[in-house]
Amino acid sequence: MRVIIGLEIHCQLATESKLFCKDSTLPAEPNTNVCPICLGFPGYKPKVNKKAIDYGIMVALALNCKINKSMFFSRKSYFYPDMPKNYQITQYEIPLAIDGFLEVGDSKIRIKRIHLEEDPGKLVHVGGDITSAKYVLVDYNRAGVPLLEIVTEPDFTSPKQVREFLEKLSSILEHLGVYDSSREASLRVDANISLEGGERIEIKNISGFADVEKALSYEIVRQKGLLRMNVKVERETRHYDAERKITKSLRKKEYEEDYGYIFDPDLPKIEITDSWIEQIKEKMPELPDERVKRFVKVYSLPEIQARVLIYTDKYLADFFEECCKIYENPLEVSKWIITYLLKSLNWHHMSIRQSSIKPKEFVELLELIDNGIITERYAKELIKEYVDTGISPKKIVEKKLIRLDDFQLEKIVEEVIRENSEAVEDFKRGETKAIEFLIGRVLIKTNKQADPKRIREILLKKI
Ligand code: ADP
Ligand code: MG
């Protein structure tokens, strides 16, 4: 049975101020980032934030879209407590851009349209979810935050492909610097899905990529079950319950015509000139796919490793590059990041940016191995401790070295001299290499927790 999926993705743009007023978009106490414009007081007129349009154009270019020369905003009327004006300013008839695509693996997912709109306020459902809450609180801080809506054609054939697409899209948005993935629900997805022979249903407002994949997988099973029993799948809007991992019916699908769109008379038509687009093109940063190619070429990384570094999180790739500036072996850096650092971060559900890991300190770990002060096996433990505590590897090792004080070390050295009289004699006869052997013995006995230089000093004194 053929599965058809299309997405509507809402990305919160990381501008400093809102789309139509000067209020901050940063997290704050509920209902403090508000003003008469975003609260919809009569007589207060919106003004467009140019930065939001710039960001929209950047995304449109990155997704290979055609950009419309004239920009209009429209009012989408509806009555709901998250929308104080009873209409949302959005774009409908003429979106910012149309007809793009993004490649995922071997498939090309077509982008139908990209448009700018204001986010509604946030509803906080207390004592349950949207279908079961005891009461609802409203926070208008979010009202008016710029959203970029990206609508795809129904080109996806599996939930897994959807997830790959979203990960790639998120990485592109991060590289463009237009959104902050660490902010709560900064990317929200409405997923439309139909099975051959059935109507499509829409699952609204899912914020994690793993949840999008799970919600869609659940829907496939549910819709298959219905179709098998000859029950018609009707067009409707559903909600994903992340705790119970199921979707629930919200309402019969409303149609776009129901919203009575009109052009917003408060806002002027804006011309998007070629020179405006050219200026933005010139400033476009390197995108993830180009970056993968560069990592392979410049750092000689296998492509698969470059992909992990770049698509896991832009800041992980940045971290890798910072490390390579101070440590000359990129393959080692990549290996230690991907195999061990990522594991520890994931275990804490932490991104590199949320952790206190620093390139300089991380590289110390590799240097400790190179200098024979710690073994690779111990280094793996050390990474965990570093992520857990934020104390640098070098400091952790130094603390352990100090713990073994001179008195203890002298006793171990004496032991080694007693047990290896032959090597001691060799050294006395002038075979200077024998001292290295003795240092090695001491290191083994101290679990490599002693400073080789100090061991040498004590040995020379005792022999
Ligand atoms: P509407 O105007 O009714 O919202 P759109 O054409 O804008 O419809 O499509 C909305 C979303 O639904 C798009 O993401 C699109 O890819 C998706 N979609 C359209 N047809 C189907 C289908 N048959 N099955 C699944 N998704 C679909
Ligand atoms: Mg639509």
Side-chain angles (χ1 to χ4, degrees):
M1 210 178 280
R2 207 158 73 94
V3 174
I4 306 166
I5 302 169
L7 303 179
E8 291 158 282
I9 301 141
H10 296 91
C11 163
Q12 266 188 14
L13 295 177
T15 52
E16 276 167 41
S17 56
K18 293 187 182 180
L19 186 50
F20 299 113
C21 63
K22 289 200 172 123
D23 289 325
S24 163
T25 59
L26 293 175
E29 284 293 301
N31 297 308
T32 53
N33 285 343
V34 290
C35 76
I37 295 174
C38 54
L39 289 179
F41 284 24
Y44 286 87
K45 293 214 194 291
K47 273 209 191 94
V48 189
N49 181 342
K50 177 171 174 292
K51 194 93 193 178
I53 303 178
D54 285 347
Y55 283 0
I57 294 174
M58 286 169 83
V59 177
L61 290 172
L63 298 182
N64 313 294
C65 291
K66 295 192 192 99
I67 296 166
N68 278 315
K69 295 275 170 253
S70 298
M71 168 136 184
F72 294 91
F73 285 97
S74 297
R75 294 180 176 183
K76 172 182 183 174
S77 295
Y78 65 91
F79 183 75
Y80 203 59
D82 64 2
M83 204 66 255
K85 296 194 292 289
N86 289 340
Y87 62 83
Q88 178 191 27
I89 307 179
T90 176
Q91 296 185 297
Y92 179 60
E93 300 86 343
I94 304 170
L96 173 71
I98 53 168
D99 289 345
F101 65 88
L102 181 61
E103 278 163 316
V104 199
D106 296 331
S107 1
K108 206 176 210 178
I109 304 298
R110 288 168 301 156
I111 307 292
K112 185 175 176 180
R113 54 184 278 146
I114 296 181
H115 70 252
L116 273 170
E117 63 187 26
E118 55 178 342
D119 209 351
K122 180 172 143 195
L123 298 182
V124 182
H125 299 94
V126 183
D129 69 4
I130 189 168
T131 60
S132 61
K134 287 204 185 68
Y135 57 93
V136 178
L137 300 171
V138 194
D139 178 3
Y140 289 120
N141 283 350
R142 213 179 67 182
V145 168
L147 289 183
L148 198 67
E149 179 168 340
I150 302 165
V151 182
T152 76
E153 295 288 356
D155 288 347
F156 298 95
T157 52
S158 76
K160 187 165 166 275
Q161 191 188 25
V162 167
R163 182 169 179 171
E164 283 169 21
F165 174 90
L166 289 172
E167 279 166 358
K168 182 156 186 186
L169 178 66
S170 163
S171 179
I172 290 174
L173 296 171
E174 260 184 352
H175 278 81
L176 291 173
V178 301
Y179 112 116
D180 181 352
S181 60
S182 67
R183 251 194 240 173
E184 186 203 339
S186 50
L187 206 74
R188 304 193 295 271
V189 177
D190 300 341
N192 299 272
I193 174 166
S194 65
L195 265 58
E196 207 174 348
E199 286 276 0
R200 81 169 118 121
I201 67 108
E202 177 174 14
I203 318 164
K204 273 257 178 239
N205 227 344
I206 326 171
S207 47
F209 301 163
D211 280 348
V212 176
E213 188 180 1
K214 281 184 211 151
L216 286 168
S217 301
Y218 174 84
E219 265 308 302
I220 292 175
V221 174
R222 190 186 71 88
Q223 291 183 23
K224 268 188 185 161
L226 289 176
L227 292 171
R228 220 175 275 132
M229 292 188 294
N230 275 327
V231 180
K232 241 181 94 186
V233 176
E234 286 195 56
R235 187 111 180 238
E236 69 174 345
T237 301
R238 297 178 73 87
H239 157 74
Y240 179 62
D241 181 336
E243 248 160 61
R244 293 169 59 201
K245 300 190 172 48
I246 58 166
T247 65
K248 296 195 265 190
S249 181
L250 271 182
R251 55 179 180 261
K252 296 284 157 231
K253 163 79 185 170
E254 66 280 8
Y255 291 85
E256 291 298 338
E257 306 85 75
D258 301 342
Y259 290 112
Y261 284 94
I262 54 163
F263 282 119
D264 192 321
D266 284 342
L267 288 157
K269 183 177 93 172
I270 298 165
E271 295 298 336
I272 299 186
T273 57
D274 290 341
S275 67
W276 186 350
I277 296 173
E278 276 313 309
Q279 268 174 23
I280 289 178
K281 264 190 195 157
E282 272 164 30
K283 278 187 284 181
M284 285 283 276
E286 182 184 42
L287 292 174
D289 277 350
E290 299 162 31
R291 199 173 190 193
V292 167
K293 285 191 197 124
R294 180 167 61 84
F295 275 25
V296 171
K297 203 168 141 203
V298 174
Y299 300 113
S300 308
L301 290 190
E303 186 176 324
I304 182 141
Q305 289 188 23
R307 286 192 171 277
V308 173
L309 290 170
I310 291 162
Y311 283 107
T312 299
D313 175 353
K314 169 185 182 283
Y315 300 94
L316 193 68
D318 293 348
F319 177 82
F320 166 78
E321 295 210 83
E322 284 303 313
C323 289
C324 290
K325 278 186 202 156
I326 42 181
Y327 186 81
E328 79 294 349
N329 190 339
L331 266 170
E332 279 300 297
V333 175
S334 162
K335 174 184 120 185
W336 283 89
I337 291 178
I338 293 176
T339 341
Y340 305 111
L341 179 61
L342 258 188
K343 212 179 272 170
S344 289
L345 289 172
N346 288 344
W347 196 80
H348 286 281
H349 299 290
M350 222 196 273
S351 70
I352 187 87
R353 249 197 323 171
Q354 291 163 327
S355 78
S356 47
I357 309 298
K358 294 182 190 70
K360 192 174 157 287
E361 293 175 349
F362 185 74
V363 160
E364 281 170 15
L365 183 100
L366 304 182
E367 287 164 352
L368 286 169
I369 303 172
D370 294 344
N371 297 337
I373 295 172
I374 60 172
T375 59
E376 288 210 6
R377 219 169 98 199
Y378 180 56
K380 292 170 202 169
E381 297 300 314
L382 207 52
I383 286 198
K384 281 191 216 152
E385 202 171 332
Y386 180 29
V387 175
D388 286 347
T389 62
I391 302 172
S392 85
K394 204 164 159 191
K395 285 218 178 84
I396 296 172
V397 169
E398 271 167 7
K399 240 172 47 193
K400 290 200 171 139
L401 289 182
I402 288 162
R403 226 179 277 151
L404 208 70
D405 62 30
D406 273 5
F407 180 69
Q408 287 168 305
L409 194 57
E410 280 187 23
K411 271 178 43 191
I412 294 169
V413 169
E414 280 165 16
E415 228 175 81
V416 167
I417 292 177
R418 239 180 294 127
E419 287 166 6
N420 298 278
S421 45
E422 246 176 75
V424 174
E425 288 311 314
D426 287 349
F427 179 70
K428 283 184 179 162
R429 251 185 280 118
E431 280 191 39
T432 45
K433 263 200 198 143
I435 194 93
E436 305 300 332
F437 170 80
L438 292 169
I439 293 172
R441 293 281 115 181
V442 178
L443 274 173
I444 290 168
K445 275 191 189 271
T446 59
N447 249 335
K448 295 216 172 191
Q449 289 185 12
D451 176 7
K453 235 165 69 195
R454 187 75 196 117
I455 299 175
R456 181 188 298 268
E457 283 165 17
I458 298 176
L459 266 170
L460 290 175
K461 199 173 75 186
K462 298 266 169 196
I463 292 179

